[in-house]
Amino acid sequence: MVSGTRLLVASLLAMATAACEGKAAGPDNFTGDARRGTDLVRHYQCGTCHDIPGVAGADGNVGPPLRRIGTRTYIAGFIQNSPDNMADWIEDPQRALPGNAMPRMGIPQQDARDIAAFLYTLK
Ligand code: HEC
């Protein structure tokens, strides 16, 4: 079974890499490095609370699944979804929508932008 598992991991990695190729530019000239963003999602362990497609082991169920979050109309049901608003949300969800259940994690602005670029690959 080891080789089967390896194959699965390899193909998941290939899918994740293909999904995150290059820089994502939004309609408001937003730029972020989606590839770096995937690594950061792992680093900050967003997957302990969220189910995130393309990120191995990210199957948390504390917050909503992030499937197709890149095409969602609202963030957290209140904030117009745009790359800038998404980056602001990740940088400080309590500033974006005080009192909501996602904690402030002290994420620097550039990291938040790269994570937002990754989330925008989820269509
Ligand atoms: C401790 C649990 C927790 C962690 C860790 C966490 N989140 Fe969340 N997140 C939540 C909860 C709870 C919500 C729902 C907030 C709401 O809708 O009021 C949420 C909402 C979101 C949303 C909006 C989803 C939607 O359907 O509108 C995004 C995007 C998001 N989180 C991204 C992230 C990213 C990226 C990370 C890692 C940097 C992260 N979260 C880490 C708990 C968490």
Side-chain angles (χ1 to χ4, degrees):
M1 280 321 286
V2 171
S3 63
T5 308
R6 274 214 195 107
L7 191 65
L8 179 67
V9 169
S11 50
L12 284 174
L13 277 175
M15 280 162 60
T17 310
C20 306
E21 219 68 75
K23 312 234 178 215
D28 45 7
N29 293 326
F30 174 94
T31 55
D33 186 334
R35 187 185 302 242
R36 184 167 177 269
T38 334
D39 292 339
L40 290 169
V41 161
R42 290 196 194 89
H43 172 76
Y44 289 113
Q45 303 189 333
C46 312
T48 58
C49 289
H50 293 286
D51 199 324
I52 311 171
V55 178
D59 59 359
N61 198 23
V62 178
L66 301 185
R67 178 174 174 270
R68 297 181 64 202
I69 189 71
T71 56
R72 188 88 51 81
T73 307
Y74 295 104
I75 300 166
F78 279 94
I79 300 160
Q80 193 74 41
N81 192 3
S82 72
D84 278 322
N85 287 347
M86 180 62 83
D88 285 349
W89 170 266
I90 294 160
E91 194 183 335
D92 189 346
Q94 294 304 317
R95 185 184 57 204
L97 184 65
N100 90 84
M102 177 161 151
R104 176 188 290 127
M105 296 170 71
I107 297 181
Q109 190 176 55
Q110 189 58 56
D111 287 5
R113 292 181 79 79
D114 292 345
I115 292 171
F118 162 67
L119 293 179
Y120 263 73
T121 67
L122 304 176
K123 308 255 169 167

